[in-house]
Amino acid sequence: TTTATGNINGQRTNAAFFHPNVSPRARWVWRAGVDQAVSIDNCRLWQGFFGPDPTGLDATNPGTADTPAGHCAAFRWSTSTGGVEDTTIKTVTKDGTTLGTGDTGIPVTVGRFFLFDVDMREFGKVIYRIDENIVDIATTNLPNALLGWCFRVVNGNGGAAATVRLGSSWFSSN
């Protein structure tokens, strides 16, 4: 369980451990969901593969943002006031400069858990799945740097808790 009260919380690898243009390529599959109604107001959720921390806690992009610094292939959902304010889960790729987004068409629903899948095993594409269904295939703005996995909740609710549960997870590479 990841709970953030007026701050940032989550899990991430301590270091980047694979490069999408060099074998082995990687796939990460995990189950996650929002537990309580208060947790979907003024929050941002990042989950997937990243170079630097997606919450922007690095020298190149201080603070929190809907546009992460560096390289990524991930899912984003944000209701951050003044931010993007997504109504559905987005797919995001970034090549270090240009951000590409896709719309899964799937809203975040309180009490519902999803099976997320970011598959980078094929060169030149990122396949995004939710509940085993392909929701997007990105072929542009692909990351080209060392990446690690990250699951982060950024809470702008002040004193209200944001709770997102990360369930079973597995990683593979070829």
Side-chain angles (χ1 to χ4, degrees), residues 67-84:
T67 302
H71 299 253
C72 73
F75 287 100
R76 177 193 76 207
W77 184 69
S78 176
T79 61
S80 179
T81 302
V84 174

mmCIF file of all heavy atoms in Angstrom, residues 67-84:
data_model
loop_
_atom_site.group_PDB
_atom_site.id
_atom_site.type_symbol
_atom_site.label_atom_id
_atom_site.label_comp_id
_atom_site.label_asym_id
_atom_site.label_seq_id
_atom_site.Cartn_x
_atom_site.Cartn_y
_atom_site.Cartn_z
ATOM 1 N N THR A 67 4.638 16.415 -16.769
ATOM 2 C CA THR A 67 5.663 16.120 -17.767
ATOM 3 C C THR A 67 6.942 15.787 -17.022
ATOM 4 O O THR A 67 7.590 16.667 -16.464
ATOM 5 C CB THR A 67 5.905 17.340 -18.680
ATOM 6 O OG1 THR A 67 4.675 17.690 -19.294
ATOM 7 C CG2 THR A 67 6.929 17.011 -19.744
ATOM 8 N N PRO A 68 7.328 14.510 -16.955
ATOM 9 C CA PRO A 68 8.516 14.135 -16.191
ATOM 10 C C PRO A 68 9.797 14.556 -16.892
ATOM 11 O O PRO A 68 9.827 14.754 -18.106
ATOM 12 C CB PRO A 68 8.421 12.605 -16.130
ATOM 13 C CG PRO A 68 7.685 12.248 -17.378
ATOM 14 C CD PRO A 68 6.713 13.359 -17.612
ATOM 15 N N ALA A 69 10.837 14.700 -16.119
ATOM 16 C CA ALA A 69 12.156 14.949 -16.688
ATOM 17 C C ALA A 69 12.670 13.653 -17.301
ATOM 18 O O ALA A 69 12.273 12.572 -16.908
ATOM 19 C CB ALA A 69 13.109 15.424 -15.593
ATOM 20 N N GLY A 70 13.534 13.760 -18.274
ATOM 21 C CA GLY A 70 14.221 12.581 -18.789
ATOM 22 C C GLY A 70 13.383 11.693 -19.679
ATOM 23 O O GLY A 70 12.496 12.136 -20.389
ATOM 24 N N HIS A 71 13.674 10.396 -19.614
ATOM 25 C CA HIS A 71 13.093 9.381 -20.483
ATOM 26 C C HIS A 71 12.084 8.534 -19.720
ATOM 27 O O HIS A 71 12.286 8.245 -18.538
ATOM 28 C CB HIS A 71 14.209 8.469 -21.008
ATOM 29 C CG HIS A 71 15.232 9.195 -21.821
ATOM 30 N ND1 HIS A 71 15.306 9.072 -23.182
ATOM 31 C CD2 HIS A 71 16.218 10.057 -21.461
ATOM 32 C CE1 HIS A 71 16.294 9.826 -23.638
ATOM 33 N NE2 HIS A 71 16.865 10.424 -22.612
ATOM 34 N N CYS A 72 11.006 8.100 -20.407
ATOM 35 C CA CYS A 72 10.041 7.235 -19.736
ATOM 36 C C CYS A 72 9.155 6.489 -20.724
ATOM 37 O O CYS A 72 9.003 6.884 -21.881
ATOM 38 C CB CYS A 72 9.175 8.025 -18.765
ATOM 39 S SG CYS A 72 7.949 9.083 -19.546
ATOM 40 N N ALA A 73 8.565 5.416 -20.234
ATOM 41 C CA ALA A 73 7.481 4.672 -20.879
ATOM 42 C C ALA A 73 6.586 4.244 -19.724
ATOM 43 O O ALA A 73 6.966 3.369 -18.934
ATOM 44 C CB ALA A 73 8.006 3.469 -21.645
ATOM 45 N N ALA A 74 5.424 4.888 -19.577
ATOM 46 C CA ALA A 74 4.668 4.714 -18.338
ATOM 47 C C ALA A 74 3.186 5.025 -18.519
ATOM 48 O O ALA A 74 2.764 5.552 -19.541
ATOM 49 C CB ALA A 74 5.252 5.634 -17.265
ATOM 50 N N PHE A 75 2.444 4.722 -17.457
ATOM 51 C CA PHE A 75 1.055 5.146 -17.335
ATOM 52 C C PHE A 75 1.020 6.357 -16.409
ATOM 53 O O PHE A 75 1.754 6.426 -15.424
ATOM 54 C CB PHE A 75 0.198 4.039 -16.712
ATOM 55 C CG PHE A 75 -0.080 2.882 -17.625
ATOM 56 C CD1 PHE A 75 0.650 1.708 -17.512
ATOM 57 C CD2 PHE A 75 -1.081 2.951 -18.582
ATOM 58 C CE1 PHE A 75 0.392 0.624 -18.337
ATOM 59 C CE2 PHE A 75 -1.342 1.871 -19.412
ATOM 60 C CZ PHE A 75 -0.609 0.709 -19.291
ATOM 61 N N ARG A 76 0.128 7.316 -16.722
ATOM 62 C CA ARG A 76 -0.076 8.489 -15.858
ATOM 63 C C ARG A 76 -1.566 8.686 -15.668
ATOM 64 O O ARG A 76 -2.354 8.506 -16.578
ATOM 65 C CB ARG A 76 0.493 9.748 -16.522
ATOM 66 C CG ARG A 76 0.235 11.016 -15.683
ATOM 67 C CD ARG A 76 0.495 12.300 -16.449
ATOM 68 N NE ARG A 76 -0.595 12.554 -17.371
ATOM 69 C CZ ARG A 76 -0.463 13.241 -18.503
ATOM 70 N NH1 ARG A 76 0.697 13.718 -18.881
ATOM 71 N NH2 ARG A 76 -1.508 13.433 -19.290
ATOM 72 N N TRP A 77 -1.903 9.093 -14.451
ATOM 73 C CA TRP A 77 -3.254 9.545 -14.187
ATOM 74 C C TRP A 77 -3.146 10.709 -13.229
ATOM 75 O O TRP A 77 -2.511 10.606 -12.182
ATOM 76 C CB TRP A 77 -4.101 8.432 -13.592
ATOM 77 C CG TRP A 77 -5.502 8.877 -13.421
ATOM 78 C CD1 TRP A 77 -6.410 9.132 -14.411
ATOM 79 C CD2 TRP A 77 -6.146 9.185 -12.210
ATOM 80 N NE1 TRP A 77 -7.580 9.560 -13.883
ATOM 81 C CE2 TRP A 77 -7.444 9.612 -12.520
ATOM 82 C CE3 TRP A 77 -5.760 9.163 -10.880
ATOM 83 C CZ2 TRP A 77 -8.366 9.994 -11.561
ATOM 84 C CZ3 TRP A 77 -6.664 9.538 -9.920
ATOM 85 C CH2 TRP A 77 -7.958 9.943 -10.261
ATOM 86 N N SER A 78 -3.715 11.842 -13.605
ATOM 87 C CA SER A 78 -3.541 13.058 -12.813
ATOM 88 C C SER A 78 -4.848 13.830 -12.695
ATOM 89 O O SER A 78 -5.529 14.065 -13.685
ATOM 90 C CB SER A 78 -2.488 13.950 -13.475
ATOM 91 O OG SER A 78 -2.360 15.168 -12.787
ATOM 92 N N THR A 79 -5.159 14.209 -11.473
ATOM 93 C CA THR A 79 -6.254 15.153 -11.235
ATOM 94 C C THR A 79 -5.689 16.377 -10.538
ATOM 95 O O THR A 79 -6.389 17.093 -9.849
ATOM 96 C CB THR A 79 -7.375 14.541 -10.366
ATOM 97 O OG1 THR A 79 -6.821 14.187 -9.105
ATOM 98 C CG2 THR A 79 -8.010 13.354 -11.040
ATOM 99 N N SER A 80 -4.407 16.604 -10.748
ATOM 100 C CA SER A 80 -3.707 17.687 -10.076
ATOM 101 C C SER A 80 -4.252 19.038 -10.503
ATOM 102 O O SER A 80 -4.299 19.362 -11.688
ATOM 103 C CB SER A 80 -2.215 17.610 -10.396
ATOM 104 O OG SER A 80 -1.526 18.649 -9.782
ATOM 105 N N THR A 81 -4.664 19.851 -9.548
ATOM 106 C CA THR A 81 -5.160 21.183 -9.833
ATOM 107 C C THR A 81 -4.059 21.990 -10.497
ATOM 108 O O THR A 81 -2.953 22.066 -9.995
ATOM 109 C CB THR A 81 -5.624 21.884 -8.544
ATOM 110 O OG1 THR A 81 -6.630 21.069 -7.947
ATOM 111 C CG2 THR A 81 -6.171 23.257 -8.825
ATOM 112 N N GLY A 82 -4.374 22.574 -11.638
ATOM 113 C CA GLY A 82 -3.376 23.334 -12.378
ATOM 114 C C GLY A 82 -2.532 22.460 -13.279
ATOM 115 O O GLY A 82 -1.714 22.935 -14.044
ATOM 116 N N GLY A 83 -2.738 21.155 -13.190
ATOM 117 C CA GLY A 83 -1.996 20.231 -14.037
ATOM 118 C C GLY A 83 -2.846 19.830 -15.225
ATOM 119 O O GLY A 83 -3.740 20.553 -15.665
ATOM 120 N N VAL A 84 -2.606 18.652 -15.729
ATOM 121 C CA VAL A 84 -3.304 18.160 -16.909
ATOM 122 C C VAL A 84 -4.755 17.798 -16.604
ATOM 123 O O VAL A 84 -5.628 17.975 -17.422
ATOM 124 C CB VAL A 84 -2.543 16.943 -17.486
ATOM 125 C CG1 VAL A 84 -3.316 16.312 -18.620
ATOM 126 C CG2 VAL A 84 -1.169 17.382 -17.957
#
